[in-house]
């Protein structure tokens, strides 16, 4: 009788376990994003502050040519979006959002410049994977992270912070958000900062 | 044996009736109970009318007046979701224009990690005609498993019973008509 009971218990447990299986697996997208896991929120000390003259730079753009901050002086407000690294989870889900809100930047007479410390070929492949973006993406690869260093957002591991800087038409830094690297900044905060610049 | 028999019957009954749940963090699949999410009542009269919910602060997923609820988990920041938006709108139109399906199948979107502002950007950009809900702190997202976006759940709603999944898949629709046919087929299995 014990054997019968044991067999029934096994069947019962198997049934219960079976009942907890059958989850939807996912293989629709290629697993081509490298997840470094949670990182230290912020790993640098800013070298600029709101009200400062924003440090100028000239960097190679993925689309070709060079992009300088000074070329927008007197013409456009500028948003600098530093993201830590290509092919990582949060970064890959930040610029595609900006990519559908060109009108919000236009309304604020602003241009957006995306910056990472990756080299141009890496950025080229990553941006293509996103389906392209409307704004210039520039490479702060060499001298490695020199622009990130000027702004004080170069981390000790050679990546940059996830940081947003809003620079007005006079070249003055009006807003900065050195964000927790693990989290995406909220779009409304950036839009609010741009609105404030234009008031 | 007389004493054991009732126990055996109870065990078998328990096996037959035990709900197919899922562990926290896992994704509910066909046959599983879907969490009866608490969602904010939309401000728009048309959205409230579509869902069949009254004015108030919140409602439960199980209160939606439909037999089938399709949930798209999306993000404003997700390029796949952006590319799919037009097809998902077409899916809504196909349902609404079919007298056999209108009122029976309804569609909502949950913006994983998106604030109301970000959800609104997505709604306006793609002229999304069905209700979208923000999930800025990922609380809804975490309650039904950490899916990639876009992700589609097909949920069967029956009064007095918990919402139950009959369809769960990541990725695009591969055509609104094809998807709708699959949803109708799976809902009848």
């Amino acid at each position: 009788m014990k054997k019968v009971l044991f067999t029934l218990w096994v069947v019962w447990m198997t049934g219960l376990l079976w009942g907890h299986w059958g989850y939807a697996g996912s293989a629709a997208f290629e697993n081509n994003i490298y997840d470094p896991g949670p990182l230290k929120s912020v790993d640098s000390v800013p070298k600029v502050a709101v009200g400062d003259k924003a440090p100028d730079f000239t960097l190679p753009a993925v689309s070709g040519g060079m992009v300088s901050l000074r070329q927008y002086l007197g013409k456009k407000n500028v948003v600098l979006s530093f993201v830590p690294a290509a092919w990582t989870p949060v970064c890959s889900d930040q610029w595609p959002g900006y990519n559908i809100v060109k009108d919000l930047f236009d309304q604020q007479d602003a241009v957006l410049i995306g910056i990472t410390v990756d080299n141009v070929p890496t950025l080229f492949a990553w941006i293509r994977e996103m389906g392209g973006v409307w704004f210039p993406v520039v490479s702060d690869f060499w001298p490695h992270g020199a622009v990130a260093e000027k702004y004080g957002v170069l981390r000790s591991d050679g990546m940059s912070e996830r940081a947003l800087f809003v620079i007005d038409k006079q070249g003055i830094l009006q807003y900065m958000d050195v964000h927790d690297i693990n989290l995406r900044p909220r779009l409304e905060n950036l839009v609010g900062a741009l609105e404030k610049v234009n008031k | 044996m007389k004493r054991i028999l009732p126990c055996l019957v109870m065990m078998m009954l328990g096996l037959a009736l035990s709900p197919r749940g899922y562990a926290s963090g896992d994704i509910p699949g066909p046959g599983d109970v879907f969490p009866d999410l608490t969602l904010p009542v939309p401000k728009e009269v048309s959205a409230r009318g579509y869902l069949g919910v009254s004015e108030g602060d919140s409602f439960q997923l199980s209160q939606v007046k439909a037999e089938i609820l399709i949930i798209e988990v999306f993000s404003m920041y997700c390029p796949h979701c952006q590319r799919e938006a037009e097809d998902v709108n077409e899916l809504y139109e196909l349902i609404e224009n079919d007298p056999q399906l209108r009122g029976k199948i309804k569609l909502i979107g949950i913006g994983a990690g998106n604030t109301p502002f970000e959800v609104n950007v997505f709604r306006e950009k793609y002229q999304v005609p069905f209700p979208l809900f923000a999930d800025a702190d990922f609380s809804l997202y975490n309650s039904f498993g950490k899916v990639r976006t876009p992700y589609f759940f097909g949920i069967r709603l029956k009064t007095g019973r918990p919402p139950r999944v009959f369809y769960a898949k990541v990725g695009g629709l591969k055509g609104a008509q094809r998807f709708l046919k699959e949803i109708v087929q799976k809902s009848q299995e």
Side-chain angles (χ1 to χ4, degrees):
Chain A
M1 185 51 69
K2 276 182 183 172
K3 273 185 187 173
V4 174
L5 278 175
F6 179 73
T7 308
L8 282 167
W9 180 81
V10 169
V11 169
W12 187 47
M13 289 307 291
T14 307
L16 284 179
L17 283 173
W18 174 82
H20 286 75
W21 286 354
Y23 311 132
S26 157
F29 303 135
E30 283 185 318
N31 194 13
N32 52 10
I33 296 295
Y34 176 77
D35 188 354
L39 300 172
K40 187 178 174 186
S41 308
V42 174
D43 184 32
S44 61
V45 179
K47 292 185 175 171
V48 290
V50 169
D52 288 355
K53 179 93 181 157
D56 190 29
F57 59 82
T58 301
L59 289 172
V62 174
S63 55
M66 306 296 279
V67 169
S68 297
L69 183 59
R70 63 179 170 277
Q71 74 191 64
Y72 300 104
L73 262 180
K75 297 173 190 162
K76 293 279 182 187
N77 299 309
V78 176
V79 176
L80 299 182
S81 169
F82 284 89
V83 297
W87 304 106
T88 54
V90 182
C91 304
S92 301
D93 272 345
Q94 185 173 342
W95 289 352
Y98 300 159
N99 201 36
I100 64 166
V101 292
K102 182 175 183 298
D103 54 334
L104 293 183
F105 286 89
D106 288 345
Q107 281 162 22
Q108 303 302 331
D109 211 13
V111 293
L112 169 64
I113 301 172
I115 307 183
T116 86
V117 296
D118 300 286
N119 66 5
V120 168
T122 300
L123 286 172
F124 174 81
W126 187 48
I127 298 301
R128 273 179 75 97
E129 179 72 9
M130 284 179 200
V133 292
W134 59 267
F135 51 88
V137 171
V138 298
S139 165
D140 187 21
F141 178 70
W142 202 256
H144 189 80
V147 177
E149 179 65 21
K150 273 189 196 178
Y151 281 77
V153 290
L154 188 65
R155 293 170 67 95
S156 60
D157 61 2
M159 289 197 295
S160 79
E161 302 289 358
R162 186 178 312 287
L164 289 165
F165 295 94
V166 174
I167 299 153
D168 68 15
K169 291 176 189 171
Q170 286 70 51
I172 304 299
L173 186 58
Q174 296 291 356
Y175 171 83
M176 56 186 282
D177 174 13
V178 181
H179 212 75
D180 181 338
I181 194 170
N182 305 293
L183 302 171
R184 188 176 53 219
R186 293 181 169 195
L187 182 60
E188 55 266 45
N189 295 347
L190 176 59
V191 173
L194 280 168
E195 284 170 349
K196 210 172 151 191
V197 166
N198 281 323
K199 266 183 187 170
Chain B
M1 190 65 191
K2 274 183 186 173
R3 264 190 263 169
I4 292 167
L5 198 61
C7 295
L8 293 178
V9 170
M10 289 306 287
M11 281 167 76
M12 295 312 285
L13 263 175
L15 175 59
L17 298 176
S18 60
R20 296 183 62 196
Y22 55 97
S24 172
D26 288 333
I27 302 161
D32 291 336
V33 168
F34 192 83
D36 198 3
L37 306 175
T38 302
L39 298 169
V41 171
K43 285 177 188 158
E44 306 80 20
V45 178
S46 58
R48 289 203 298 271
Y50 175 72
L51 296 169
V53 296
S54 339
E55 266 186 282
D57 293 335
S58 62
F59 69 100
Q60 302 294 123
L61 202 67
S62 57
Q63 291 176 303
V64 174
K65 283 212 172 84
E67 292 172 19
I68 301 296
L69 183 65
I70 301 169
I71 300 176
E72 182 197 14
V73 187
F74 74 99
S75 167
M76 184 209 103
Y77 292 90
C78 148
H80 297 284
C81 308
Q82 296 166 2
R83 286 195 283 268
E84 280 295 310
E86 203 176 302
D87 277 1
V88 185
N89 287 352
E90 190 191 337
L91 172 67
Y92 170 83
E93 298 299 338
L94 285 173
I95 294 165
E96 291 303 293
N97 291 329
D98 185 333
Q100 302 290 318
L101 303 179
R102 186 182 160 89
K104 291 181 184 166
I105 304 182
K106 290 186 182 169
L107 180 57
I108 64 168
I110 293 175
N114 289 183
T115 63
F117 181 92
E118 291 163 337
V119 163
N120 206 41
V121 164
F122 192 85
R123 181 187 291 116
E124 287 184 3
K125 176 79 185 175
Y126 300 106
Q127 295 292 296
V128 179
F130 54 89
L132 300 178
F133 298 90
D135 183 26
D137 62 359
F138 291 99
S139 57
L140 300 172
Y141 179 80
N142 289 331
S143 74
F144 51 69
K146 294 168 182 175
V147 300
R148 293 190 203 170
T149 54
Y151 199 97
F152 291 89
F153 287 106
I155 312 288
R156 200 175 283 113
L157 299 175
K158 278 186 185 169
T159 314
R161 293 194 194 171
R164 201 168 281 268
V165 179
F166 66 88
Y167 181 94
K169 255 184 202 173
V170 72
L173 302 181
K174 298 182 182 77
Q177 283 197 336
R178 187 215 63 80
F179 180 84
L180 182 57
K181 197 175 163 191
E182 190 181 2
I183 281 286
V184 170
Q185 221 166 32
K186 297 264 182 198
S187 71
Q188 291 164 350
E189 282 173 6

